[in-house]
Every structure is written in structure tokens, then in C-alpha cells.
Amino acid sequence: DIQVTQSPSSLSASVGDRVTITCRATQSITSFLNWYQQKPGKAPKLLIYAASNLQSGVPSRFSGSGSGTDFTLTIGSLQPEDFATYYCQQSYSTPLTFGQGTKVEIK
Amino acid sequence: QVQLVQSGAEVKKPGASVKVSCKASGYTFNSYGINWVRQAPGQGLEWMGWISAYTGNTIYAQKLQGRVTMTTDTSTSTAYMEVRSLRSDDTAVYYCARGLRLDYAAPFHYWGQGTLVTVSS
């Protein structure tokens, strides 16, 4: 099974900060990497697919990069509505696997 | 607009079975796959499996193989997920999610609202 590991597991940041979350896979997954945002009590929301493609309707302050085993989600300027937990997910092979999550909290 | 509406919360005893439904609307049901994902309280996301609404083909997570069955009813545009021999560690919110495409690798674009399944004696 391909494991994906996110870092950090949590972070504190202020509105306006630039935030970077990384995701590392245990083997190459080319660009089969997706990012989701989840707020408490809600279903996850797709932000980025295929490593760098912004899902329709998602603000342009979100961006994704990487290929192979190393990937990054960047929030260009953190907004109040961005405080949430973020998950990466590999869809290269089954079982599809998620990272453990990164909780972004208000500093 | 695309909607996935799941059945309501369930409380089950250990050893029982639960069947969760996911009714789709707003798109051609058999043109996409449905994934099932669960989330234990305070924990991360766990992929359970995928079903093609076109062929009925399934792929299950190995750890659930033998205890889970995913089906679809194209006449009602509804997907179902059944877990048998429930244990306390099956307590979770269960989500259905439709992919961007038909195949299992499609990113999960639309999600149901979640169904809480509690397993307790």
C-alpha cells in the first residue's frame, strides 16, 4: 500500500499569512495527488486535483505543486474561512489513502 | 445541481449489520463511480472502496474485504454500502462521494452529508 504522510500535523497562523503544507508518498504517484479541506461537522471539500489543478469555485489563493513523491499545498494569504483541517490523498493505486491531516488553527 | 443525500444515523450492536444509502440527483447516475469513505470520531479519513455505477464493478479496501458490500440501484439512482459483523471500531461517520469521472482514481468531487454509525452494546 502507498502511504502518504503530511507535515506538519498542525499549525497556528494569522490571517494574511502564507501557509504551506507538505505531503510525501512512499513511492512515486506521478501527479495522482488531491487535496481536501474539511471543517468540523462537514464533509470534505475538493480543493486541488492532480497535484496542481484548482477545482472550480475554489479561491485562487489555494495552489498545489509537486510530482513523484513530494507535494505541497499553499494558501497564499490565509483568510478566516480557511481555518480547517486539510488532507492529501493519493489516487495512483488502491487502496486509495489519505494523509493524517493538517489542522490549521488561528494564532 | 448535484446532490448526494444519505440515510440517517444508526445505532447497532456488535455483530450486527448496517446498510447506508446514498441517493444521487442532478446528474446521470451511471456515468460516474461512487466511493465510500469513513471517519472515526476525531480521526482522519479512511477509504473503504469504490463502485462503478455503470458496470457495478467494485474495489474494496483489503481490511474490509469480506465484511463490506457496495451496490447500486440505477432505477432509483441510489448507492448502498453494507458492513457486516460490526465492531466497536466501525463507529464512524460514513460518507459517499462521487468522483470527477467514472474510474476509481477520480478525485472525490461531490460528497454526501455523512451518516453516523454507532456500534455499542
Side-chain angles (χ1 to χ4, degrees):
Chain A
D1 297 1
I2 298 174
Q3 307 302 319
V4 285
T5 303
Q6 286 179 238
S7 61
S9 55
S10 65
L11 64 90
S12 295
S14 301
V15 172
D17 284 353
R18 181 181 180 89
V19 169
T20 299
I21 299 168
T22 64
C23 182
R24 174 165 287 176
T26 52
Q27 67 183 73
S28 175
I29 55 173
T30 62
S31 295
F32 284 85
L33 192 285
N34 309 306
W35 290 96
Y36 299 87
Q37 175 195 66
Q38 187 179 33
K39 295 182 179 180
K42 299 294 187 181
K45 173 186 175 183
L46 178 64
L47 298 177
I48 302 284
Y49 65 94
S52 61
N53 293 275
L54 190 68
Q55 174 60 21
S56 175
V58 174
S60 59
R61 62 181 179 273
F62 290 94
S63 64
S65 65
S67 67
T69 61
D70 295 313
F71 302 86
T72 300
L73 172 70
T74 300
I75 308 173
S77 176
L78 197 65
Q79 297 302 300
E81 60 268 30
D82 300 337
F83 292 95
T85 300
Y86 295 83
Y87 294 93
C88 60
Q89 177 226 4
Q90 67 82 16
S91 55
Y92 181 80
S93 67
T94 59
L96 308 184
T97 46
F98 291 88
Q100 79 278 18
T102 295
K103 187 173 184 179
V104 176
E105 298 176 301
I106 302 172
K107 181 183 283 185
Chain B
Q1 73 282 21
V2 173
Q3 280 194 301
L4 300 174
V5 179
Q6 298 182 221
S7 48
E10 304 261 14
V11 179
K12 296 292 183 180
K13 293 192 183 303
S17 299
V18 68
K19 192 170 186 177
V20 178
S21 67
C22 171
K23 183 168 177 59
S25 61
Y27 71 96
T28 302
F29 182 70
N30 60 8
S31 293
Y32 296 87
I34 293 285
N35 285 271
W36 290 89
V37 174
R38 69 180 181 178
Q39 186 169 37
Q43 302 301 308
L45 302 167
E46 179 186 16
W47 178 77
M48 301 176 67
W50 165 89
I51 182 165
S52 165
Y54 181 67
T55 62
N57 288 349
T58 54
I59 303 174
Y60 298 135
Q62 184 71 25
K63 70 174 286 189
L64 292 167
Q65 195 88 30
R67 289 204 303 132
V68 67
T69 301
M70 297 175 188
T71 57
T72 58
D73 181 341
T74 54
S75 69
T76 60
S77 299
T78 303
Y80 298 92
M81 187 281 303
E82 180 181 35
V83 182
R84 299 176 293 279
S85 302
L86 286 165
R87 308 186 291 243
S88 58
D89 62 356
D90 291 316
T91 294
V93 175
Y94 289 74
Y95 294 102
C96 60
R98 197 208 84 174
L100 276 175
R101 308 178 301 270
L102 176 61
D103 61 284
Y104 74 84
F108 304 162
H109 187 192
Y110 294 100
W111 294 68
Q113 82 277 18
T115 297
L116 175 62
V117 175
T118 303
V119 183
S120 174
S121 55

